[in-house]
Amino acid sequence: MDTMKHPEQSRDLKVVSITEAARINNVTRQAIYVAIKQKKLKATKDVTRWTIHLDDLEEYRKNKYSRTKSMFNGELLFDAGKGFHSINQVAKMLNIPAQKVYYATRVGLMKAHRKGAAWVVHSDDVKSYQENYLNRTTKVV
């Protein structure tokens, strides 16, 4: 059958199930159901099966909320170009648990600044913490 004469059929060839959409987006099936229910992801339901067009899935992926795209006062919260990182980004950079970063900020070993609901750490403060506390060698007397 010539799909050029029937464009609706060529569109049907580019659909995936909820399970496939979850695998493609590296999320759970439940996350896909929630996105559909919140009308953030377009999907159609045949008698018993949901189908999602790949173009709609791509559109959802582009517009999906991401903490890395969060703004505060018109500026990116976490802008690596300007040296601002999230707690989780700092933890990955230093290869330590995020709770250790939170602890370091709480007791004053690392500076962090509150921007809205997020904690932001400047790369200079990360470097200072790394040099003064992580790379320190203990001297045995």
Side-chain angles (χ1 to χ4, degrees):
M1 185 178 295
D2 189 3
T3 56
M4 297 306 279
K5 292 180 185 174
H6 303 284
E8 68 280 351
Q9 287 178 338
S10 70
R11 181 167 163 83
D12 290 344
L13 296 175
K14 296 180 184 177
V15 296
V16 294
S17 68
I18 296 251
T19 303
E20 292 166 319
R23 185 183 49 74
I24 291 168
N25 272 15
N26 199 25
V27 296
T28 63
R29 288 169 37 93
Q30 186 64 30
I32 298 296
Y33 281 117
V34 169
I36 292 168
K37 186 173 183 175
Q38 292 177 342
K39 301 197 183 311
K40 293 180 179 179
L41 175 59
K42 293 179 192 171
T44 54
K45 188 170 187 178
D46 301 337
V47 178
T48 58
R49 185 176 175 234
W50 283 97
T51 56
I52 303 162
H53 193 274
L54 285 173
D55 293 342
D56 295 330
L57 189 61
E58 181 61 30
E59 185 67 24
Y60 166 72
R61 218 176 15 245
K62 275 194 260 179
N63 296 325
K64 187 168 84 167
Y65 170 78
S66 169
R67 186 81 188 242
T68 58
K69 295 186 240 174
S70 293
M71 304 287 275
F72 181 75
N73 289 343
E75 292 183 354
L76 277 174
L77 265 178
F78 312 119
D79 188 349
K82 293 182 180 178
F84 296 109
H85 307 282
S86 72
I87 297 294
N88 285 329
Q89 289 170 334
V90 170
K92 284 182 183 173
M93 289 164 54
L94 298 175
N95 198 25
I96 61 175
Q99 287 305 316
K100 187 167 183 168
V101 178
Y102 279 116
Y103 177 79
T105 61
R106 190 171 58 247
V107 298
L109 301 177
M110 183 187 309
K111 289 182 191 172
H113 307 280
R114 192 94 168 154
K115 286 190 178 180
W119 284 102
V120 180
V121 182
H122 194 272
S123 54
D124 292 343
D125 298 319
V126 174
K127 185 177 179 184
S128 174
Y129 174 77
Q130 188 174 21
E131 290 171 355
N132 295 325
Y133 299 100
L134 292 182
N135 293 343
R136 209 171 45 173
T137 57
T138 56
K139 294 181 181 177
V140 180
V141 182

